[in-house]
C-alpha cells in the first residue's frame, strides 16, 4: 500500500500550485485513510505493526531467546502491562501538572 501513495507536496509544486496548508494536508491524509480502510481489513493492514510492537516486549524479557516460548509470552504480557501502566501514570502526572499550572496552585 505504501507504494501506491503519492507525494502530494511534490506533485502540487510540479503543477505550479501552491503547497497545501497543514489543514488541507490533514484532510487529504484523512480521506486517504478512509479510502484505504474501506478497501482493506484494518486488522490485516496493522498486523505487521502490532506484531513488531509485541515482539519488542518478548525481546526485552528474553533477549537471548533461552526461555520456553510459553514463559516468554507470559513475561512479555506482563512487560506490556507494565508499559501501559507506566504511560497511564505519566498521563496522570501530566494532567495534574497542567491543572496546577492553570489554577496557579497545587491540585491533587
Amino acid at each position: 500500500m505504501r507504494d501506491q501513495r503519492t507525494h502530494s507536496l511534490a506533485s502540487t509544486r510540479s503543477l505550479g500550485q501552491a503547497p497545501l496548508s497543514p489543514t488541507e494536508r490533514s484532510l487529504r491524509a484523512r480521506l486517504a485513510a478512509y479510502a484505504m480502510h474501506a478497501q482493506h481489513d484494518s486488522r490485516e493492514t496493522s498486523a505487521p505493526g502490532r506484531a513488531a510492537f509485541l515482539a519488542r516486549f518478548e525481546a526485552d524479557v528474553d533477549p537471548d531467546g533461552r526461555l520456553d516460548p510459553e514463559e516468554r509470552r507470559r513475561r512479555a504480557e506482563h512487560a506490556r502491562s507494565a508499559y501501559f501502566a507506566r504511560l497511564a501514570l505519566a498521563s496522570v502526572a501530566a494532567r495534574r501538572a497542567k491543572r496546577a499550572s492553570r489554577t496557579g496552585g497545587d491540585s491533587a
Side-chain angles (χ1 to χ4, degrees), residues 41-79:
D41 182 359
S42 60
R43 291 170 294 201
E44 290 176 13
T45 58
S46 63
R50 279 194 321 276
F53 179 71
L54 295 176
R56 162 191 170 182
F57 298 108
E58 288 193 4
D60 286 348
V61 299
D62 189 19
D64 299 325
R66 295 181 181 173
L67 292 174
D68 175 65
E70 184 59 29
E71 178 64 14
R72 182 173 43 248
R73 184 197 57 77
R74 186 190 70 77
R75 290 184 187 189
E77 285 178 7
H78 286 289

Side-chain angles (χ1 to χ4, degrees), residues 10-21:
S11 64
T12 56
R13 285 190 179 154
S14 65
L15 297 174
Q17 298 174 350
L20 297 174
S21 72

